[in-house]
Amino acid sequence: MAEKKSGNRLLALDIMRGITIAGMLLVNNPGSWGEIYAPLRHAEWHGLTPTDLVFPFFMFIMGVSTWFSLKKFNFELSAASVWKVLRRTVVIFAIGIGIAWLAKVLYGIYSDRQMWDIMTDFAHIRVLGVMPRLAICYCVASILAMLLSRKALAWSVGIILAAYSLMLLLGNGLEFSADNIICRIDHAVLGENHMYGDTVGGQYLKFDPEGLLSTLPSIAHVLIGFLCGSLITATADNLRRTNSLFIVGAALTFAGLLLSYGIPVNKKIWSPTFVLTTCGMASTLLALLITVIDIHGCRKWSRFFEAFGINPLFMYVYGTVFAVLLGALHIGDKSVKSLIYSDFLTSLTAGNATLASLFYAIFIVVAVWLVGLILYKKKIYIKI
């Protein structure tokens, strides 16, 4: 649903949303997965790269935004508030499944299978992913936020992360193997036909980085963002806001890095130390943006990201579908993506495939931004 809005928005929050969405589109759409600069790769297993920050940063921001959203309902569990949360959850989850189905259908056009068989083959669609994880975490975190006090929520975060740590340590959760408790649960509940496949150290395994068990710490991730949202509204003074966020950011980052000697920082299992470290960094970045944008008024540099930030989920969905279309649709015997990347950009960069791959990702980001710019100038907000 599209609507026009007026009134003041927290600009730093919009900009941070925009940065993360642009970042997600950039790292998810290289010209070739075999030709990527190191900072734009995910850590193979343990460790942290700049690319590993974009999704958790967005989940943190989702938590902050949820605070402002539920504040309109006075954080009370009511028919109206529950309906809004459940409706949005179903929509976001359904869009995630829809994207997976669309990609499967489009890429199947040029196969030998009958189109009807491709369209009705639901036995080989990945159930979980970015959008489904956002949906589940938003739903559970929102319900908890309306049921529990702020103090109880903080305890809940600690209990969730402690319980998950115990599961990882007792269930071989730190190893990339079929014996990993995360992998075992996903195989038992989802089935490998509905899971993402990954390769670590040359070993291929159906191991979903957005699996069921690792959704637990992701819920804690959103709750931390929610609690940071409460810090923002606790005072109208921006300096005090940023001080609080900087302190929380430093404490969480330090705790995450210190505890990583026992449980490594790992995005693919969404380890508790990954939650603490990335939430700490996200809190610090938000404080920095408020300082730069809202306190010192340095806003010109951020205009590019506003177009992404005011319609974040729509921009991500549109960008994902756009990229799928370019990769699936053919002109002659080549996909549109291949014509742009392999024929044009690789030639433009004098055969530098890695640079051409980066240029292709930038092309996707800019193409999506142009659509967002139109919505931004017309002050049109598309709710998802």
Side-chain angles (χ1 to χ4, degrees), residues 40 63 71 74 86 191 233 330 340 343 358 372-373 378:
L40 300 179
K71 188 179 180 183
N74 199 29
L86 292 181
T233 57
H330 285 57
I340 296 173
D343 292 5
L358 173 60
L373 182 63
K378 292 182 177 294

Side-chain angles (χ1 to χ4, degrees), residues 79-306:
S81 62
V82 171
W83 170 245
K84 177 183 178 179
V85 170
L86 292 181
R87 180 182 60 187
R88 189 167 188 241
T89 298
V90 171
V91 169
I92 295 174
F93 196 99
I95 290 174
I97 298 295
I99 291 174
W101 175 84
L102 179 65
K104 188 176 183 62
V105 170
L106 290 175
Y107 280 107
I109 290 176
Y110 302 96
S111 70
D112 295 331
R113 297 177 62 192
Q114 295 293 322
M115 182 52 61
W116 178 252
D117 291 338
I118 297 171
M119 294 177 65
T120 57
D121 181 12
F122 299 106
H124 297 84
I125 291 181
R126 185 186 178 197
V127 175
L128 299 179
V130 172
M131 295 294 284
R133 169 158 288 189
L134 290 175
I136 295 170
C137 293
Y138 164 74
C139 181
V140 177
S142 295
I143 299 299
L144 289 176
M146 292 186 285
L147 287 174
L148 304 177
S149 66
R150 305 293 88 79
K151 183 177 180 180
L153 284 178
W155 276 103
S156 298
V157 169
I159 291 171
I160 290 172
L161 295 182
Y164 185 61
S165 297
L166 192 60
M167 293 179 199
L168 292 178
L169 293 173
L170 297 179
N172 199 34
L174 302 180
E175 300 297 326
F176 183 78
S177 73
D179 293 329
N180 188 309
I181 186 173
I182 298 172
C183 188
R184 295 204 309 267
I185 289 177
D186 285 341
H187 275 263
V189 178
L190 300 175
E192 67 174 31
N193 288 338
H194 298 292
M195 294 172 59
Y196 181 84
D198 201 0
T199 300
V200 173
Q203 177 189 4
Y204 178 81
L205 182 66
K206 284 288 187 176
F207 193 104
D208 205 311
E210 281 84 41
L212 287 171
L213 188 60
S214 60
T215 299
L216 282 174
S218 301
I219 293 169
H221 204 118
V222 175
L223 288 175
I224 292 174
F226 181 85
L227 293 171
C228 286
S230 70
L231 294 178
I232 294 174
T233 57
T235 176
D237 182 75
N238 278 331
L239 185 59
R240 292 181 63 184
R241 286 174 172 173
T242 55
N243 284 342
S244 297
L245 290 172
F246 273 128
I247 291 171
V248 169
L252 290 176
T253 304
F254 179 77
L257 294 177
L258 184 63
L259 293 173
S260 68
Y261 289 99
I263 299 179
V265 175
N266 186 313
K267 177 186 180 295
K268 294 180 180 179
I269 62 174
W270 215 272
S271 65
T273 49
F274 177 78
V275 173
L276 295 174
T277 302
T278 57
C279 279
M281 291 179 175
S283 180
T284 302
L285 176 59
L286 181 56
L288 181 62
L289 290 173
I290 293 174
T291 301
V292 172
I293 296 170
D294 295 306
I295 295 179
H296 294 291
C298 299
R299 301 181 178 183
K300 289 184 178 180
W301 68 271
S302 66
R303 295 291 167 82
F304 175 83
F305 298 107
E306 283 188 67

Side-chain angles (χ1 to χ4, degrees), residues 332-358:
D333 61 348
K334 290 187 176 182
S335 69
V336 177
K337 175 180 178 178
S338 180
L339 290 171
I340 296 173
Y341 166 63
S342 300
D343 292 5
F344 176 67
L345 291 176
T346 302
S347 175
L348 185 67
T349 57
N352 188 331
T354 306
L355 182 58
S357 183
L358 173 60

